[in-house]
Amino acid sequence: MSKLNPEQQAAINLVDSPLLVLAGAGSGKTRVITEKIAYLVRQGLPAKHIVAVTFTNKAAREMLSRVGKLLDKQQSRGLRISTFHALGLEILRKEHKVLDYKAGLTLYDEQDKLSLLKNLISHSKLDYDSDKVEHYAWQIGQWKNAFITPHQAESTINTEQHTISLLYANYISSLKAYNAVDFDDLILLPVLLFEQHPNILEKWQNTLRYLLVDEYQDTNLTQYQLVKLITGKLGKFTVVGDDDQSIYAWRGAQPENLSQLQKDFPRLQVIKLEQNYRSTGRILKAANQLIAKNPHAYEKKLWSELGYGDPLRVLSHKDELTEAQQIIAELIHHKFKTGGSYQDYAILYRGNHQSRLFERSLRENNIPYFISGSTSFFAYSEIKDILAYLRLLVNPNDDAAFIRIINTPRRELGPTTLEKLAAYANQRQLSLFTASTELGLSQTVSSKSCARLDKFCAWLNETAMRVEKENTFVVIEQMIDSIGYQHWLRENSKTSESAERKMRNVHDLINWLKRIAEKDNTAPKPLAEIIANIMLMDILERNQEEESGDQVSLMTFHSAKGLEFKHVFLVGMEENILPHQNSLEADGVDGTSAIEEERRLAYVGITRAQRTLTFSYCTHRKRYGDIIECQPSRFLGELPEDDLEWANKKQLSADVIKERGKANLQSLKTMLS
């Protein structure tokens, strides 16, 4: 975009009333936010009083980079551009005393949360199903996002939910005792803080005088409360969102927050961004016609000046193997014909399990590819366990590591003991490790538990000394053996194969650490330096998506949101896949709301494409060992028929066959060279 269009300019200039910008896909919403930040600063509002929030670190970094081109360092000093959760963490760190926390809060990730819940369940007298721990974690997260306290959850009539609410209460008590918060607390606790302490709310309102929110349709109830509290009655905010791209109901997102704004802020202005700078007219026509089937609080229609574009192709295949092979053949042919790059292509699917055959076909054709959202090596629980042990060896005062492994494997130290230990450590302003060795602990913790803690600390000290004096990796391997970690994995894995795979991962980690220690043929690096390198590698791996290079992108529809590609293949366009089977079985009148979200997911997939768009479905697919017949997705039937080219329904001409043969031959020559 060489210049702003009238709607974008209006959205930037409007600062005296609350503003909702309804920004369609590819309509330049990020530019509106960044240009508005620059406009506010130039109008005299210091950057330190402006905050822009979004949902991913990547989006925040992109915004920060763009603002850096509009303002110099002096002008942008103090500007906050972050995720909702990073803002929440900043508030908690500055106000921890008011909430009765120590400095240096520990942040629990999903694995830490599950481990704590498993520990609470194993020591509970109530009848919890240990196989349902992920469901319990999900329910607790939903309650937090819906602003429901344990006391409110406890009053539910549903027996199962009542039982989970008691676990919820114990979970919160344990977190507090460990001076820890989980991901959902980063929004919930600031909201509670502001509601209970008006003087602190006023202080933050004076600090954060103008708020900009990206992807507003993805906010949950608690995030909306945070926005309302920070902006106050004046409503000094601009929120940018698109109800047609709301695809996160399963994690608490409420597109209804868009219409709720009008009720809570009667002075709200609404500006629509409908000009699309990404896609051809035909792609947008298909997207508009599809999403028109959903009800809307605000109507909008995307349009483009990029020409009408090629027909949208629909391919059918006899099974999923043929689908993968033919899609990759189409990709090779198209790349040869147009002379493009691999990074111009994306293959999008509903679920991660669909990627396997496409990966195989890409490998067989020597085509580089990148899978977005694949599980990081560092995310595996067994890797986190061993790294926590190693972190404690180099820093025994690492409370998060201590909590993670004190009962991994079990050392007969229950949640009550650990809560008392944490309370004692908090009172004495000590780490959990140091508190475990103090004589005063025996006043609050039983003599048996004190003896077990003392034994663990002595063992850890001795192992740390041996790591320094002896062969580091021999000692580490002996440590893993001495704690009985392999036996622990066998006991806690669903299958023996799973336990063996996890143990192989542990050996891979140790061998990898050895290679880092011995790199460059210099003196072996100390363990502390190696662990620091590993934590940095973890961060770098999380940022890997941005360094994907010239590779075909494979990702789910959810992961593709916010991205764009010249050529897009939407695969598995079948009933029970998209729309997903769960949405067809959902509660409510014919599962309407669930189907609406699936339609929005298809809309997101369509609007990723810039130049060409290909749909693909199978007539038969293997499921649980049986071959089942598949029906094309209902969403294909909702697209404009005149703009679809059902490629498999007509015979290819001799010229086309000849041309594709040339493309495949050239591809083969390239691979051989």
Side-chain angles (χ1 to χ4, degrees):
M1 300 187 301
S2 59
K3 60 180 181 178
L4 296 162
N5 65 40
E7 291 75 22
Q8 291 171 329
Q9 192 66 62
I12 289 164
N13 293 347
L14 185 65
V15 295
D16 295 328
S17 60
L19 173 63
L20 165 62
V21 179
L22 271 178
S27 62
K29 66 182 178 63
T30 305
R31 184 171 186 192
V32 166
I33 292 173
T34 53
E35 292 276 1
K36 186 153 193 173
I37 290 169
Y39 178 78
L40 288 166
V41 172
R42 290 173 189 141
Q43 292 296 304
L45 181 63
K48 66 180 181 180
H49 294 313
I50 300 170
V51 59
V53 289
T54 185
F55 281 85
T56 67
N57 288 320
K58 184 178 177 183
R61 284 193 297 272
E62 168 70 12
M63 268 191 217
L64 205 54
S65 169
R66 292 202 198 183
V67 170
K69 293 170 184 172
L70 299 170
L71 299 173
D72 61 34
K73 285 187 179 178
Q74 181 64 32
Q75 290 173 308
S76 60
R77 182 170 294 167
L79 174 67
R80 291 173 173 84
I81 296 182
S82 70
T83 62
F84 263 106
H85 295 90
L87 176 63
L89 186 56
E90 182 192 347
I91 294 167
L92 292 183
R93 281 182 173 151
K94 289 185 176 173
E95 310 294 349
H96 64 88
K97 287 182 181 175
V98 184
L99 288 165
D100 200 23
Y101 281 92
K102 287 189 295 183
L105 283 167
T106 295
L107 179 58
Y108 268 34
D109 65 12
E110 200 60 28
Q111 287 289 339
D112 297 327
K113 181 179 180 179
L114 291 173
S115 296
L116 176 54
L117 288 171
K118 283 176 186 173
N119 194 26
L120 292 170
I121 287 168
S122 67
H123 290 84
S124 173
K125 293 177 182 176
L126 295 174
D127 187 23
Y128 292 107
D129 184 345
S130 58
D131 290 334
K132 284 188 173 181
V133 68
E134 289 184 1
H135 171 67
Y136 300 151
W138 173 83
Q139 181 61 73
I140 289 169
Q142 291 291 95
W143 277 330
K144 287 189 177 187
N145 289 334
F147 209 53
I148 295 171
T149 63
H151 179 69
Q152 289 169 320
E154 199 177 325
S155 62
T156 182
I157 303 169
N158 183 306
T159 307
E160 185 193 21
Q161 290 206 333
H162 177 78
T163 309
I164 301 172
S165 74
L166 302 177
L167 180 63
Y168 179 19
N170 289 336
Y171 171 69
I172 285 180
S173 297
S174 294
L175 279 181
K176 190 73 181 283
Y178 299 153
N179 202 52
V181 294
D182 66 19
F183 202 60
D184 300 315
D185 287 328
L186 296 180
I187 310 297
L188 177 63
L189 291 178
V191 170
L192 292 173
L193 171 77
F194 289 156
E195 287 191 342
Q196 294 163 10
H197 301 274
N199 58 322
I200 292 175
L201 171 60
E202 187 179 352
K203 180 179 80 173
W204 280 91
Q205 285 176 337
N206 289 331
T207 301
L208 310 176
R209 295 183 195 169
Y210 201 93
L211 178 67
L212 301 104
V213 183
D214 188 21
E215 304 288 6
Y216 181 71
Q217 76 283 347
D218 292 337
T219 54
N220 58 40
L221 185 61
T222 319
Q223 285 160 338
Y224 180 53
Q225 287 296 113
L226 186 62
V227 169
K228 272 178 65 179
L229 286 163
I230 289 173
T231 57
K233 291 178 182 176
L234 291 175
K236 291 280 190 178
F237 66 74
T238 295
V239 300
V240 183
D242 181 4
D243 51 344
D244 291 332
Q245 294 189 74
S246 181
I247 55 174
Y248 294 113
W250 48 275
R251 68 181 189 202
Q254 294 195 168
E256 303 85 22
N257 286 347
L258 287 163
S259 49
Q260 186 63 36
L261 275 174
Q262 191 85 63
K263 298 172 187 172
D264 292 336
F265 298 92
R267 293 171 55 244
L268 182 78
Q269 300 291 308
V270 179
I271 294 175
K272 300 178 188 178
L273 302 184
E274 297 172 294
Q275 183 174 358
N276 175 285
Y277 294 89
R278 173 188 299 160
S279 308
T280 61
R282 201 187 298 258
I283 291 169
L284 297 180
K285 179 183 172 186
N288 287 331
Q289 183 162 317
L290 176 74
I291 207 64
K293 300 282 184 184
N294 278 3
H296 290 84
Y298 302 97
E299 295 294 335
K300 69 176 185 309
K301 199 168 187 179
L302 295 177
W303 60 275
S304 166
E305 292 180 341
L306 299 175
Y308 199 53
D310 298 337
L312 313 181
R313 304 180 70 234
V314 185
L315 308 178
S316 66
H317 315 275
K318 65 177 182 180
D319 55 37
E320 60 265 50
L321 180 60
T322 312
E323 178 184 46
Q325 291 171 339
Q326 186 168 342
I327 291 294
I328 304 310
E330 289 277 335
L331 190 154
I332 292 168
H333 159 66
H334 190 272
K335 180 179 179 295
F336 172 72
K337 187 173 76 173
T338 59
S341 305
Y342 286 121
Q343 63 191 7
D344 295 338
Y345 297 86
I347 299 171
L348 309 185
Y349 36 75
R350 180 65 175 81
N352 279 311
H353 67 279
Q354 291 171 262
S355 72
R356 188 175 56 84
L357 291 174
F358 292 96
E359 287 184 73
R360 184 203 293 179
S361 192
L362 287 162
R363 283 198 303 269
E364 286 171 355
N365 286 281
N366 274 5
I367 296 175
Y369 66 90
F370 170 72
I371 300 186
S372 175
S374 55
T375 304
S376 162
F377 181 67
F378 297 100
Y380 292 119
S381 59
E382 62 273 18
I383 299 303
K384 287 190 168 193
D385 289 345
I386 301 305
L387 282 177
Y389 270 101
L390 300 184
R391 279 162 52 193
L392 268 188
L393 289 177
V394 299
N395 174 19
N397 295 320
D398 186 332
D399 279 0
F402 184 97
I403 291 165
R404 181 171 188 93
I405 56 88
I406 188 62
N407 266 320
T408 307
R410 287 193 187 91
R411 293 185 175 89
E412 297 181 65
L413 292 163
T416 306
T417 298
L418 295 177
E419 279 187 36
K420 288 178 179 176
L421 169 64
Y424 178 81
N426 195 3
Q427 182 187 355
R428 298 270 293 136
Q429 293 291 294
L430 302 169
S431 71
L432 295 172
F433 177 85
T434 305
S436 299
T437 61
E438 284 213 337
L439 289 172
L441 183 64
S442 59
Q443 302 299 312
T444 54
V445 172
S446 71
S447 55
K448 275 187 180 180
S449 295
C450 279
R452 286 171 186 142
L453 285 167
D454 199 50
K455 181 181 176 184
F456 170 75
C457 293
W459 169 81
L460 191 71
N461 276 329
E462 183 195 348
T463 308
M465 287 172 57
R466 289 183 60 209
V467 160
E468 283 188 16
K469 294 178 180 176
E470 301 174 30
N471 183 309
T472 299
F473 294 98
V474 169
V475 175
I476 289 171
E477 285 168 351
Q478 289 172 349
M479 176 194 76
I480 293 168
D481 192 46
S482 70
I483 62 175
Y485 192 71
Q486 187 162 8
H487 180 68
W488 160 259
L489 287 178
R490 286 196 196 111
E491 278 189 336
N492 290 275
S493 299
K494 290 182 178 176
T495 64
S496 58
E497 291 82 5
S498 172
E500 286 168 16
R501 187 187 70 250
K502 289 178 180 181
M503 202 62 207
R504 279 198 302 274
N505 284 341
V506 170
H507 291 314
D508 286 346
L509 174 67
I510 303 306
N511 290 332
W512 187 24
L513 295 178
K514 276 185 197 174
R515 289 196 294 275
I516 293 172
E518 295 160 3
K519 199 175 180 183
D520 305 327
N521 295 319
T522 55
K525 293 182 177 70
L527 186 61
E529 187 180 334
I530 297 166
I531 295 303
N533 285 345
I534 283 292
M535 302 319 288
L536 180 59
M537 282 183 191
D538 185 10
I539 293 164
L540 291 174
E541 184 166 308
R542 291 177 197 176
N543 297 338
Q544 183 185 1
E545 288 182 38
E546 294 161 42
E547 306 299 330
S548 55
D550 188 23
Q551 304 176 70
V552 174
S553 291
L554 294 174
M555 63 184 72
T556 63
F557 285 80
H558 285 99
S559 298
K561 187 165 172 285
L563 303 178
E564 56 186 42
F565 304 91
K566 286 184 181 176
H567 313 292
V568 171
F569 295 91
L570 304 183
V571 301
M573 291 291 294
E574 299 148 36
E575 290 290 294
N576 296 315
I577 294 182
L578 186 71
H580 194 274
Q581 186 172 351
N582 291 349
S583 71
L584 301 175
E585 297 169 354
D587 293 333
V589 185
D590 302 321
T592 306
S593 61
I595 291 292
E596 286 165 9
E597 175 142 339
E598 292 292 295
R599 187 175 285 111
R600 292 195 290 268
L601 202 52
Y603 174 85
V604 165
I606 290 169
T607 52
R608 298 314 93 199
Q610 295 172 299
R611 296 292 171 265
T612 71
L613 179 61
T614 303
F615 300 95
S616 166
Y617 71 93
C618 298
T619 57
H620 296 82
R621 196 177 281 271
K622 186 180 282 188
R623 190 169 295 168
Y624 307 120
D626 296 325
I627 304 295
I628 62 164
E629 191 172 341
C630 306
Q631 297 299 320
S633 169
R634 68 188 66 191
F635 301 143
L636 289 175
E638 294 174 3
L639 301 176
E641 193 175 333
D642 292 346
D643 294 288
L644 299 183
E645 181 185 275
W646 295 76
N648 296 35
K649 288 190 175 180
K650 55 187 179 186
Q651 189 67 38
L652 293 175
S653 70
D655 288 342
V656 171
I657 293 169
K658 189 176 179 181
E659 187 185 353
R660 295 195 179 184
K662 279 183 186 176
N664 290 332
L665 181 61
Q666 180 59 43
S667 177
L668 185 60
K669 284 179 181 175
T670 304
M671 283 187 277
L672 291 171
S673 65

